[in-house]
Amino acid sequence: MNKIEEILSRYREGSHESLIPILQDVQEAEGYLTESAIVRIGSFLRMSTTKIYGLATFYDRFRFIPAGKVHMRICNGTTCFINGSSAVVTAVRETLGIDPGQTTRDGRFSYELTACQGGCNEGPVVCTGENYHTRVRPEDVPELVSKLKVLADLK
Amino acid sequence: MKQTKDSGTKDFLVSEVLLHSSDTLPPETSRKLAEIRRDKPSVPIIYVATGSAAIIAGSDATAKAAKQYLEEMGMRGEVVRTGCHGPAAFEPLFCVHLPGKNKLFFRNITEDKVEPLLNGVFHNDMPLEDLVAQSGSYGFEAWHEIPFMEEVPFFRLQKRVVLGNCGCYDPESIEEYIARGGYRAFLKTIRNYTHEEVCDIVERSGLRGRSGGGFLTGLKWKYALNSASDSRYLICNAKESDPGSYADRSVLEGDPHRLIEGICIASYAIGASTAIIYLKTGSPHPLARLRKALEAAADYGITGHNILSSGFNLEILIREEAGAFVCGEETALIASLEGKRGMPELKPPYPTTSGLYGKPTVINNVETLMNVSLIMSHGPEWFRSMGTEGSKGTKLFSLGGRGRYTGLIEVEMGTTFRTITEGIADGIRDGKAFKTLQIGGPSGTFITEKNLDLPVDFDVLRANGIAMGSGGLIIIDETTCLVDFVRFYMEFIHRESCGKCIPCREGTGRMLEILENVVRKPLNEDSNSTLERFKGVMQLETIASVMKDTSLCGLGQTAPNPFISALDNYREEFEEHIFDRRCRANVCRGLRTFSIDVEKCTGCTVCAAKCPVNAIYGTRLQPFFIVEDKCIGCGVCYDVCKFSAVTVK
């Protein structure tokens, strides 16, 4: 809980306009928005938790379950789509058995779809942390996932 | 030791350059600035592009490898990480500047290629296959038989004004930016002009907002300046919602200080003491660059309280968006900054009278603000000399899709789209045929073959029913199915619709449903679904026009644009899908039928083993066959067959 108090100390009490930055900071520190964090933020900003929850669910960036140890960001920008990213997404969905925004039961994987990441010439692009996997074909996905599994177990 | 040198440079740059009273600097100062700019290097300098596109292609490792090479060889030299030049196909772009010689540019230099390349360059055994061009100026020795940068078609047809600095210097170094003449326009502005005069100059230059609307920037500023209020806000919209565009992000990464200078001037013009950069999240690089640049600017006293003793105060904040497409809309953006759900409001009142916290607010796009410092330093007449009658200056495009050379480009207004697709992009890759050009992302339209000769010009495009958009330009070839493409955009808009007004919330959902029906294989053609499909298509046009007329904000009003434009220009493709149940690009999974060529099939069983629905039957070493009723058209058999025995229709 200390982390949250430290974040809140940077903001003014009751200032509704700082809600989104606070949520962003909390998510950055904790990886996702916990129930207790939302309650604490509510009392700090003097807002009801339903309002905060309503706002947080409106925006795509906020998560309510922890992300996987390996979080894949699959580019679904227009150019990657033309180059076949939707087949890659289907392959990832079938291999991992989860939808975007969800986390696998073993906590190893999660993934999201993003807008253009800027690697249009190398598409479809899959980004994991600092690493970029380029020109990914749907048939490469099982191998990529098993490679990343090793990485996830190291974490 | 380093500390004293740095603060010495800072004092020199602030007192001798920024605060210098006349426009021309004394020769001694100019000489020092040339040194900071590395104009005449005495040691080899290696420039590695490190924008988003380059990082994805692996430029980080390239830069490290280059540095390691210099250390291992015990050579004196420098590795500079620059922003992106633009050509995504060349990334990682690698530039070597040997003392006294012209700069040499090499393409696709990944980590493993660094050592052989540098060995070659230093021992006069030039690796010609990787070479792109040379670039230089008076006073350097040119390389023999190597084309100049200006001769490469990708660069020759562009006019790089906003991108002038991108790729030439280290964007994290404020010293280099000032040495390149940076921040002097801002200082000149706050010293010589009143708020009204700045608005006037920008209005006279004819600069129009680059986010798509094309409203005169100077006039917008005037509206805000003339609204009586105790405080005003400037917001730089770096949200760039278009899922296929990365132009704003690239310039922001490549030249963050020019953006900051533009924000400073714009804030002064409208009398704002707080400016907010509303930044797209997702990628950590632009945020880190911008933070560093803002810290440096504050350290130099260019932002903050009483800027360089001028009496003008300005605080620049970065606010990250939280992931909602609709927040690119002005009123939704403001709502999001106020800590509410990003839902649009009815206009008027326009933000210039009542915006953030009810105060007059100007929202400008990154590209617009990048032009401002150039206008202030070169004058409005210089800006007016570029472009067409109604549209002045240049336009950035993030050119994507299936062109041979894609990337970030900048063309003078009035350039035709044919020049872009056939000249700069050099046609279609893999020898495929051009189909269409898509402009403006999910709210944009298609530019057909016969419209390719239209110029990049706000008014001409509008007269032809085409919206300029914010800079997304996608080249589409025959391998892309337009029905599927339109469905992709509709899916995107449906997901991102904020849900406030019914036409957009429900309309996008219905349109998506009908489009999915068109590309999906029905269980059988006898049932109601066939009738529904025919009916749906007739309803699509009605839904589209209702959405256009009744949606609350631009998102909903423009959401049917790609569909309407595709239907107008490529109606036969829709009809093929609906009536003939055929997709000419072979993209739509549901409409593909597969069969096995008896002559070619060896009975290896690979396809039967891979088929997810067990639709392939046969005996080992005998030809197999596909049961059409069971087939879901996934195409796995087509991909795995080593003998090309599976054919698709």
Side-chain angles (χ1 to χ4, degrees), chain A residues 16-17 20-21 24 54-55 58-62 73 76-79 81-83 115-121 132 134, chain B residues 53 89 243-244 249 281-282 319-323 336 338-342 357 401-402 406 474 480 484 488-489 496:
Chain A
H16 286 198
E17 73 273 11
I20 295 175
Q24 281 169 335
L55 178 125
F58 180 83
Y59 294 101
D60 292 347
R61 291 276 160 231
F62 297 117
R73 295 173 59 238
N76 200 26
T78 317
T79 303
F81 169 77
I82 289 180
N83 289 330
C116 185
Q117 299 186 7
C120 294
N121 222 63
Y132 289 94
T134 53
Chain B
R249 191 176 60 195
T281 46
R319 284 286 291 273
E320 276 187 278
E321 57 118 359
S336 160
E338 288 172 350
K340 301 178 195 151
R341 278 172 164 232
Y357 309 123
R402 308 281 299 170
T406 54
I474 308 279
T480 304
D484 189 47
F488 165 74
Y489 273 156
E496 296 293 343

Side-chain angles (χ1 to χ4, degrees), chain B residues 8-144:
Chain B
T9 317
K10 179 181 150 189
D11 291 344
F12 161 72
L13 286 172
V14 172
S15 59
E16 310 269 320
V17 182
L18 290 180
L19 292 176
H20 192 75
S21 49
S22 77
D23 265 1
T24 43
L25 296 169
E28 176 61 16
T29 316
S30 303
R31 198 190 55 74
K32 270 192 175 169
L33 289 182
E35 210 172 278
I36 297 175
R37 284 198 302 263
R38 305 188 188 85
D39 274 1
K40 290 206 168 68
S42 53
V43 290
I45 307 224
I46 294 167
Y47 296 91
V48 184
T50 52
S52 285
I55 288 173
I56 289 176
S59 70
D60 229 15
T62 304
K64 276 185 197 141
K67 199 160 190 155
Q68 200 186 351
Y69 178 91
L70 290 180
E71 275 166 17
E72 276 174 11
M73 295 286 160
M75 286 172 76
R76 283 172 61 231
E78 212 178 327
V79 177
V80 182
R81 289 165 182 245
T82 68
C84 266
H85 268 278
F90 294 165
E91 301 294 1
L93 193 67
F94 194 88
C95 165
V96 184
H97 194 181
L98 298 180
K101 296 267 204 171
N102 273 348
K103 285 181 182 175
L104 283 176
F105 287 87
F106 299 91
R107 57 186 284 177
N108 306 114
I109 304 303
T110 40
E111 186 182 9
D112 50 316
K113 278 179 162 176
V114 170
E115 201 182 327
L117 175 101
L118 289 177
N119 274 336
V121 172
F122 291 135
H123 300 107
N124 231 342
D125 173 25
M126 207 56 74
L128 288 172
E129 67 275 16
D130 297 327
L131 198 67
V132 180
Q134 62 173 320
S135 125
S137 51
Y138 179 74
F140 290 110
E141 192 189 327
W143 299 87
H144 284 295

Side-chain angles (χ1 to χ4, degrees), chain A residues 1 3-4 7 25-34 36-37 66:
Chain A
M1 217 47 191
K3 269 190 217 159
I4 292 173
I7 291 165
D25 286 354
V26 168
Q27 171 150 308
E28 180 143 358
E30 306 243 298
Y32 69 109
L33 300 176
T34 55
S36 58

